[in-house]
Amino acid sequence: TVVLILILGISIPALATAPDAPPTFLPAVERIIAIGDLHGDLDATRKVLLNVGIIDQHDSWIAGKLVVVQTGDQLDRGDQEQELLELLNKLQIEADQQGGAVYLLNGNHELMNARLDLRYVTPGGFADFESAVEMGKPDSLLLTFDSEKRSRVAAFRPGGPYALQLAQRNTIMMIGDNLFVHGGVLPEHLDFGLEELNRQIQRWLSGDGPAPEGIHTRTSPTWTRTYSDNPDTDSCIKLQEVLTRLGAARMIVGHTVQENGIAAYCDQKVWCIDSGISQYYGGATAVLEIVGQQVRVLGQ
């Protein structure tokens, strides 16, 4: 039996409830696996999770107290987004039940969808979400979009059912002395406040407030490539300032595909983990493992 929830004339299948958004700052854990951009590729994601021993052949969590951080960009460029989100949501719940955790960060493509910037959605991505949201009578905003796009707009606009899922996430978080973000944390982001930045993005996605000023610009935490696109000396100086102010040992970012797989810059103080997991970028399977102060690449 399919249970439907009616929200503003839009009905969707009831979704399992993932844990609420975690704090921005969490204490150290024994072992972390960090995974880069997935871009709507369920098959590639399953392959990575199987290779690292996170799931079994039935998509069940088998990693005990492991902590997994996925640094954003689950959406766009692929046709399997809905199933991918469902799998990640399921693993969050199962990991939590076993004393582990799956932390999903918002990347620029999650926030683009909430902003209704749909230029990287594939035709399959629009078709996929026609079954995810059952439309009532379209309102004035939905009428500005072609009919085949309206279900996705209804799903991801602030306050929509899938935007509410995104609102349960952080955009930036720190576990022990490891700082995770999709694009990068710049000194001005610290001046604004990381907890406040997370809170304002969550409120916007929930439909309860405006987006933080500058969140859609090229210097935002989800867009900047300061540390991931051949960082120069000035970039490394900025990085060190951020790490020093936070008491962090390293920053882990996605966003920029690394041609030769996961790479480290600035004396291994920034790890760039977008290895191109999705088939759109080549289907690499590398992830980053952090155990204490030991950092190594798996599957590369």
Side-chain angles (χ1 to χ4, degrees), residues 42-53 55 279 283-285:
L42 176 66
D43 296 334
T45 302
R46 276 197 177 116
K47 182 178 179 181
V48 169
L49 297 175
L50 281 164
N51 287 351
V52 184
I55 63 172
Q279 286 301 315
T285 58

Side-chain angles (χ1 to χ4, degrees), residues 182-184 223-233 235-236 253-259 263-266 270-274:
H182 182 66
W223 274 103
T224 183
R225 301 184 194 274
T226 299
Y227 310 124
S228 58
D229 188 10
N230 297 314
D232 57 17
T233 300
S235 298
C236 292
V253 304
H255 189 43
T256 305
V257 177
Q258 304 298 305
E259 290 185 4
Y265 302 101
C266 304
V270 60
W271 288 83
C272 302
I273 64 169
D274 185 357

Side-chain angles (χ1 to χ4, degrees), residues 203-282:
R203 287 194 61 197
W204 165 59
L205 291 169
S206 298
D208 293 333
E213 184 176 353
I215 194 60
H216 301 303
T217 68
R218 296 288 173 174
T219 57
S220 80
T222 61
W223 274 103
T224 183
R225 301 184 194 274
T226 299
Y227 310 124
S228 58
D229 188 10
N230 297 314
D232 57 17
T233 300
D234 288 342
S235 298
C236 292
I237 290 172
K238 285 185 179 180
L239 173 69
Q240 187 58 60
E241 178 185 346
V242 169
L243 297 180
T244 298
R245 288 173 64 178
L246 288 172
R250 64 193 63 84
M251 187 185 299
I252 299 92
V253 304
H255 189 43
T256 305
V257 177
Q258 304 298 305
E259 290 185 4
N260 298 312
I262 291 176
Y265 302 101
C266 304
D267 295 326
Q268 297 193 341
K269 292 180 180 177
V270 60
W271 288 83
C272 302
I273 64 169
D274 185 357
S275 61
I277 287 172
S278 69
Q279 286 301 315
Y280 183 90
Y281 285 113

Side-chain angles (χ1 to χ4, degrees), residues 23 37-39 65 75 111 115 118 171 181 190 214 252 261 282-284 290:
D37 305 32
L38 301 175
H39 283 300
K65 295 182 179 180
L75 298 179
L111 302 189
R115 193 187 180 196
L118 306 177
T171 299
V181 61
L190 298 185
I252 299 92
I290 305 171

Side-chain angles (χ1 to χ4, degrees), residues 98-279:
Q98 295 185 31
V102 175
Y103 298 120
L104 307 174
L105 301 186
N106 286 319
N108 61 305
H109 283 268
E110 282 72 51
L111 302 189
M112 287 172 71
N113 274 261
R115 193 187 180 196
L116 308 184
D117 180 347
L118 306 177
R119 63 190 133 140
Y120 296 107
V121 180
T122 65
F126 285 117
D128 185 30
F129 276 85
E130 287 181 6
S131 63
V133 178
E134 184 178 323
M135 297 295 298
K137 184 178 179 181
D139 59 27
S140 58
L141 173 62
L142 295 176
L143 287 172
T144 64
F145 290 86
D146 295 337
S147 58
E148 68 270 15
K149 299 180 179 180
R150 290 174 190 166
S151 290
R152 189 176 184 106
V153 171
F156 284 103
R157 64 179 172 180
Y162 279 83
L164 291 175
Q165 279 196 331
L166 302 182
Q168 292 179 299
R169 308 175 179 183
N170 286 324
T171 299
I172 304 166
M173 69 184 303
M174 192 166 165
I175 303 175
D177 56 6
N178 301 290
L179 179 62
F180 298 92
V181 61
H182 182 66
V185 176
L186 302 175
E188 54 261 38
H189 302 147
L190 298 185
D191 297 336
F192 186 86
L194 301 189
E195 291 173 308
E196 180 64 13
L197 187 58
N198 279 334
R199 186 185 70 83
Q200 288 196 19
I201 292 172
Q202 290 158 359
R203 287 194 61 197
W204 165 59
L205 291 169
S206 298
D208 293 333
E213 184 176 353
I215 194 60
H216 301 303
T217 68
R218 296 288 173 174
T219 57
S220 80
T222 61
W223 274 103
T224 183
R225 301 184 194 274
T226 299
Y227 310 124
S228 58
D229 188 10
N230 297 314
D232 57 17
T233 300
D234 288 342
S235 298
C236 292
I237 290 172
K238 285 185 179 180
L239 173 69
Q240 187 58 60
E241 178 185 346
V242 169
L243 297 180
T244 298
R245 288 173 64 178
L246 288 172
R250 64 193 63 84
M251 187 185 299
I252 299 92
V253 304
H255 189 43
T256 305
V257 177
Q258 304 298 305
E259 290 185 4
N260 298 312
I262 291 176
Y265 302 101
C266 304
D267 295 326
Q268 297 193 341
K269 292 180 180 177
V270 60
W271 288 83
C272 302
I273 64 169
D274 185 357
S275 61
I277 287 172
S278 69
Q279 286 301 315

